[in-house]
Amino acid sequence: DADVTQTPRNRITKTGKRIMLECSQTKGHDRMYWYRQDPGLGLRLIYYSFDVKDINKGEISDGYSVSRQAQAKFSLSLESAIPNQTALYFCATSARHRDEQYFGPGTRLTVT
Amino acid sequence: ILNVEQSPQSLHVQEGDSTNFTCSFPSSNFYALHWYRWETAKSPEALFVMTLNGDEKKKGRISATLNTKEGYSYLYIKGSQPEDSATYLCAFLGNAGNMLTFGGGTRLMVKP
């Protein structure tokens, strides 16, 4: 079984809808991250969490919110989706600050 | 926003060729440099985490070097194989921040 899972894997939604992307991990890591990837660009950090009570904005947090329900679960919400949020979204985890990150399989989101 | 650049953006080589690409990052406040390999339709996977100036790391036919004083890292692939075809991402972690900043990636295509 995969260590980091994301649901859904693909989603098409309409402008203005609220959508939640979920991430679960079995690695026992405290640190979790949400990234988005756009064609031609690298991964950009949306939000990160170093433990259940610690949530921080990343480079591009506007239009997004997160919830860390437990050590193993970190959800990303788009309160009112817009077309330029169409992207590939990755969740990742790491054990310590500078350690390698383990990525989930990605969620491809299309906002029409 | 930190500037992390990778060159070239894409590279086509023949099977058996050796190749290398570059990651440039800020030369001040260095903490760590990550390399990831990202195959199409899969998740990025860590290759190396490099922390010391002069570090050299190797995994099979892939190796990397690090120069923190001048702000660059090289990734080398010896005797490229079609299965090496992927996007290679580098990511910089500064000691003043908590976030990895990714470069745009180098897309490698190895022709049989």
Side-chain angles (χ1 to χ4, degrees):
Chain A
D1 287 342
D3 294 321
V4 184
T5 57
Q6 293 181 232
T7 55
R9 295 292 310 279
N10 287 282
R11 180 72 181 268
I12 300 173
T13 193
K14 293 185 185 296
T15 297
K17 294 290 187 182
R18 184 179 189 275
I19 183 169
M20 179 182 288
L21 310 183
E22 298 187 346
C23 176
S24 294
Q25 53 110 350
T26 58
K27 297 193 74 68
H29 291 166
D30 285 327
R31 290 163 168 75
M32 298 188 73
Y33 312 84
W34 275 104
Y35 293 93
R36 69 177 274 176
Q37 196 272 331
D38 298 278
L41 298 177
L43 297 169
R44 292 184 292 166
L45 185 65
I46 307 171
Y47 270 96
Y48 62 101
S49 169
F50 281 179
D51 65 42
V52 175
K53 296 181 181 178
D54 178 69
I55 291 178
N56 303 279
K57 292 182 177 180
E59 181 186 348
I60 52 164
S61 60
D62 286 349
Y64 301 95
S65 63
V66 291
S67 172
R68 184 82 184 266
Q69 300 95 324
Q71 186 204 38
K73 295 184 182 297
F74 192 35
S75 300
L76 176 73
S77 294
L78 286 67
E79 297 301 327
S80 179
I82 56 176
N84 78 0
Q85 291 176 314
T86 293
L88 182 58
Y89 290 84
F90 283 106
C91 173
T93 76
S94 69
R96 295 177 303 174
H97 181 42
R98 70 179 189 189
D99 287 351
E100 63 186 287
Q101 294 188 6
Y102 294 85
F103 286 83
T107 295
R108 187 165 295 281
L109 176 66
T110 303
V111 183
T112 62
Chain B
I1 297 177
L2 298 172
N3 195 23
V4 180
E5 295 189 350
Q6 292 187 245
S7 62
Q9 284 189 326
S10 65
L11 193 55
H12 293 252
V13 302
Q14 290 292 137
E15 182 176 355
D17 288 350
S18 293
T19 187
N20 65 85
F21 15 97
T22 306
C23 174
S24 301
F25 52 84
S27 57
S28 58
N29 300 315
F30 175 88
Y31 194 64
L33 193 283
H34 293 206
W35 280 101
Y36 292 84
R37 168 195 164 91
W38 182 17
E39 292 182 71
T40 302
K42 296 187 177 180
S43 314
E45 291 185 349
L47 287 170
F48 306 114
V49 176
M50 309 180 80
T51 57
L52 297 176
N53 185 44
D55 248 358
E56 291 189 25
K57 300 238 178 184
K58 187 174 181 181
K59 184 181 290 189
R61 293 178 292 98
I62 303 177
S63 60
T65 61
L66 179 68
N67 183 324
T68 62
K69 296 188 185 306
E70 295 184 39
Y72 65 84
S73 176
Y74 293 138
L75 190 80
Y76 300 91
I77 302 179
K78 183 177 178 182
S80 302
Q81 300 297 309
E83 57 266 30
D84 295 328
S85 296
T87 296
Y88 292 83
L89 298 167
C90 71
F92 169 83
L93 180 65
N95 59 19
N98 292 317
M99 305 183 291
L100 280 180
T101 300
F102 281 82
T106 293
R107 186 178 178 205
L108 174 68
M109 286 152 281
V110 183
K111 298 177 187 177

